[in-house]
Amino acid sequence: MELGRDSDTGGQVKYVVELARALGSMPGVYRVDLLTRQVAAPDVHWSYGEPAEMLTPRNADDFTNDLGESSGAYIVRIPFGPRDKYIPKELLWPHIPEFVDGALKHIMQMSNVLGEQIGCGNAIWPVAIHGHYADAGDSAALLSGALNVPMLFTGHSLGRDKLEQLLKQSRTSRDEINTTYKIMRRIEAEELSLDSSEVLITSTRQEIEEQWRLYDGFDPILERKIRARIRRNVSCYGRFTPRMAVIPPGMEFHHIVTVDDVDNSEAQGNGDYANSPDPPIWSEIMRFFTNARKPMILALARPDPKKNITTLVKAFGECRQLRELANLTLIMGNRDGIDEMSSTNASVLLSVIKLIDKYDLYGQVSYPKHHKQYEVPDIYRLAAKTKGVFINPAFIEPFGLTLIEAAAYGLPIVATKNGGPVDIIGTLDNGLLIDPHDDHSIADALLQLVADKHLWSKCRQNGLKNIHLFSWPEHCKTYLTRIASFKPRFPQWQTDNEDNSESDSPSDSFRDINDLSLNLKFSLDSEKSENNSSLDFDGSSSERKSKIENAVLAWSRGIDEDTRKFVDQIIKFPALRRRKLIFVIAVDDKESLLEIITKIFESVDKERNEGSLGFILSSSLTMTEINNLLVSGGLKPNDFDAFVCNSGSDLYYLTLDPEDGPFVIDFYYHSHTEYRWGSEGLRKALVRWASSVNEKKAGNAEEIVTTADQLSSDYCYALKIQKPGEVPPLRELRKLLRIQALRCHVVYCETGTRINVIPVLASRAHALRYLYVRWGVELSNMVVFAGESGDTDYEGLNGGVHKTVILKGVCSDANTVLHSNRSYPLSDVMPFDSPNVMETPENCTSSDIRISLEKLGLLKG
């Protein structure tokens, strides 16, 4: 690791690595995988390009948890985004789906490996997925849905809080902040993490009360009310909120050597430190000082504006008494030359240098260019040896791991009153809090500790006495206790279908189905109708059709295990598993859809007749609408292997015998999407919202928004829009539902004339990942055909390891109708430079489509 090389390699990286290492050493934990990005670039350490790296336990001599060849903690690097270039996290958003797909493949492969090693041949599923920081939270939510595994989230630093702090500084506008930091995309990822997580882990209570409460999806008061109702076993009306757990980060203390240890060793004339030379970093720091014997004020932070180093230098420069008593040391990462630094970091460093010159601080301030990570303990020891003080003056500090490190080496601390330091100093009782915006407050606190030797000694001793409260074993015990309390989530077919294995052949599956006296097939989706559990299909054609529909509706609402196993036999070996390539048609223009389907079919007519290609139709429409549309255009439903309907809330397959109706639903798919589905409580909230919109537009002769029961299913509530321009934008409805703790995915579709509200983890992109998890259909063998724009879930279809063909000119109107009021621009999340994306000419022909497929390397010319 290269900690401190930029804003993306700060304390949170060290925290995550040490957490993984510590968890891997805990009894009962077999394996921990830390997933990150693989980069093979000349400007980063070579290890960043290694696909995997084992994290050796800190105390390897006492490590007894060696359970097998794959046990322990590992860094697993997933290739995504530019392969040969290190890019900042703000530019990674378009590539997040590619990371999710790569991570999903690794998890599936490792599950099978562990199953062979310790699971008697049955795949070992992860017990939890933990996202750290906003982009990983977004990824973890998508993986949690694809795998049906519980999720945890740690924000470390939150976007809404950062936005507020930056606006307070009045240096940049909201638009400039969003352009630089992609802050609105980050905030949406944090909102999704709130929607999807079982537990949010914070370092301090302040993070909950003052930072998370800024989010639409979390209200501390509502959270307490929901918890109280759950304890009393009272209905929450479809409302859900994650638990908040305060678990301070840990630290390893067994290797720490304080100044007292060194002094005692030298006094006794033995030990490793007796008569040993001073560490090289000491001379590197002290060469700046005229009087190196004065107490050292130490700050260890990147030259980032939010770290507030310039205010610290100003406070030091303006306090004559402090300058006379102490020196100031600034460890501001590593640099070769100012011109080679990022513009933001270079600006901070130049400001520091100008302040040094302004206050004539030469000989009193040290700011070395380089230090190694292993030299950081020596830096702390030097500050303690001079009876100095450690300071963190950041505008806001989510936790402050360096404060704990400094305390462990016997340094009193001064820290910002905003964030984690409040709890740290409250626990350790070893320092003072300051207002980071007030340079007089900073100078006064430092002066107290430097000038009052009794106070300095008291803070030092308190820190050393209480530091064990922040050990990694204590952290991991609390952490694992939380995970153990989760309700288990995993694919239901793992328990319902123990005999469903890769050894099953198509002929076996067909023979099983042909032996059955009844094939449950249907051509309509599970629309609202009366339940009928009878599976006796004697009678007229209309009666038979009605009973099929009622049976399917029963499946989607939960049915007995015998029927579940029976249906699984029907779709046990879908045709998708036999295809070399899967073409996913996800064009959101109903008017031109039939023409586009025909062109795509014509472009691959030869391969299609050979049976090597499979087709999936992915749409916001219901199964009934899709069927009617295909039939009206002279297309056959059996041209497709599967249908993703209702914006991704339902998944259907083509069955073998089309005589009785061609489709069958995958009810196991619902087990991967129904998490936190608000059901009737959500439906009532949508009815109230529709009524409020209509009341505000009371002058209209017709209602603007109406519920569409005939277009709804158990996992999709549909609303029809008569006047799209008069309906609040997507972000407002999403915000309203989140404020009420109703977790769902709102999709504006059909050029704004329809709204589909589906489970929070459901989507058309999710359905494709499910097909990989369920049937092993490789995502890299899929090709998604999409328009130039589309429904508001459009961005989810245009990233990942699959190939994408964008049909230029198709659905272009949706950009102004549906995407003009986005909270962040579509350009922030579209992977335009991806080699997996190809664009056709406008008004493309079947030949143009084939040329695009050839350029993607999928077809031969």
Side-chain angles (χ1 to χ4, degrees), residues 239-437:
R239 289 166 170 78
F240 301 90
T241 188
R243 291 183 178 275
M244 292 285 180
V246 179
I247 313 178
M251 183 175 173
E252 287 286 350
F253 300 118
H254 70 274
H255 65 286
I256 289 180
V257 179
T258 65
V259 173
D260 291 342
D261 297 328
V262 177
D263 292 343
N264 292 337
S265 179
E266 291 176 347
Q268 296 170 14
N270 55 34
D272 294 336
Y273 289 89
N275 300 318
S276 62
D278 290 341
I281 191 65
W282 286 15
S283 59
E284 181 66 21
I285 292 172
M286 291 189 293
R287 68 184 176 87
F288 286 83
F289 298 137
T290 303
N291 181 2
R293 293 182 177 274
K294 291 195 294 186
M296 179 192 296
I297 298 168
L298 173 63
L300 185 65
R302 303 183 309 275
D304 188 301
K306 65 185 179 183
K307 296 301 182 182
N308 199 29
I309 296 173
T310 52
T311 305
L312 169 61
V313 177
K314 181 182 177 183
F316 182 76
E318 292 190 348
C319 183
R320 181 180 59 82
Q321 192 176 359
L322 185 60
R323 296 201 312 270
E324 291 175 352
L325 290 177
N327 293 320
L328 176 62
T329 295
L330 306 174
I331 306 297
M332 297 180 289
N334 290 283
R335 65 187 185 277
D336 291 322
I338 296 177
D339 291 341
E340 298 174 15
M341 300 172 67
S342 70
S343 59
T344 302
N345 291 355
S347 175
V348 172
L349 181 57
L350 288 171
S351 297
V352 168
I353 294 172
K354 289 178 181 179
L355 288 169
I356 290 173
D357 187 72
K358 176 181 178 180
Y359 295 108
D360 194 17
L361 301 178
Y362 299 104
Q364 296 175 286
V365 179
S366 174
Y367 49 102
K369 295 176 68 172
H370 297 285
H371 72 282
K372 304 294 185 184
Q373 182 61 30
Y374 64 79
E375 292 178 316
V376 172
D378 293 325
I379 297 172
Y380 287 130
R381 272 196 293 270
L382 176 60
K385 187 178 182 68
T386 64
K387 298 190 183 303
V389 177
F390 182 82
I391 180 169
N392 181 337
F395 289 116
I396 185 163
E397 182 57 63
F399 183 66
L401 193 59
T402 54
L403 296 173
I404 296 176
E405 292 176 344
Y409 286 94
L411 277 169
I413 59 179
V414 172
T416 176
K417 67 177 183 178
N418 299 325
V422 176
D423 287 358
I424 293 175
I425 291 180
T427 300
L428 297 178
D429 191 21
N430 71 331
L432 302 171
L433 296 170
I434 50 94
D435 179 354
H437 298 279

Side-chain angles (χ1 to χ4, degrees), residues 45-190:
H45 194 267
W46 63 268
S47 62
Y48 285 34
E50 292 295 301
E53 175 185 346
M54 186 173 187
L55 294 173
T56 307
R58 288 295 186 194
N59 195 6
D61 294 338
D62 297 334
F63 183 60
T64 59
N65 197 29
D66 187 11
L67 301 178
E69 58 182 299
S70 298
S71 64
Y74 298 82
I75 297 176
V76 178
R77 298 182 178 91
I78 308 295
F80 72 101
R83 300 294 188 266
D84 57 351
K85 185 167 64 174
Y86 180 92
I87 59 177
K89 61 181 180 295
E90 290 82 8
L91 301 181
L92 281 176
W93 289 111
H95 308 291
I96 292 298
E98 187 181 358
F99 170 75
V100 172
D101 292 347
L104 185 61
K105 187 177 184 69
H106 164 77
I107 293 170
M108 294 294 293
Q109 291 175 339
M110 185 51 59
S111 295
N112 292 327
V113 168
L114 296 181
E116 293 297 325
Q117 292 178 2
I118 61 173
C120 300
N122 298 317
I124 302 296
W125 225 239
V127 295
I129 295 175
H130 191 164
H132 291 267
Y133 201 76
D135 47 6
D138 192 88
S139 304
L142 298 178
L143 287 168
S144 170
L147 296 163
N148 200 23
V149 168
M151 171 187 167
L152 305 90
F153 179 64
T154 301
H156 293 283
S157 172
L158 298 181
R160 285 198 188 276
D161 187 71
K162 180 171 183 173
L163 177 60
E164 281 201 351
Q165 294 295 328
L166 291 172
L167 290 173
K168 282 181 182 178
Q169 295 174 30
S170 302
R171 297 173 183 169
T172 50
S173 67
R174 183 182 292 266
D175 289 341
E176 291 172 329
I177 292 170
N178 194 41
T179 300
T180 303
Y181 298 104
K182 305 293 186 287
I183 202 78
M184 298 312 297
R185 178 64 183 91
R186 173 178 169 178
I187 289 171
E188 176 55 31
E190 290 161 344

Side-chain angles (χ1 to χ4, degrees), residues 489-500:
R489 285 169 54 201
F490 46 82
Q492 290 187 9
W493 69 79
Q494 287 191 336
T495 54
D496 291 353
N497 269 328
E498 295 295 338
D499 60 342
N500 186 18

Side-chain angles (χ1 to χ4, degrees), residues 219-237:
D219 178 355
I221 297 175
L222 180 58
E223 190 243 1
R224 287 192 285 270
K225 289 180 178 179
I226 290 175
R227 294 290 163 222
R229 296 182 72 89
I230 292 173
R231 285 193 296 270
R232 300 200 310 269
N233 199 27
V234 177
S235 172
C236 296
Y237 301 105

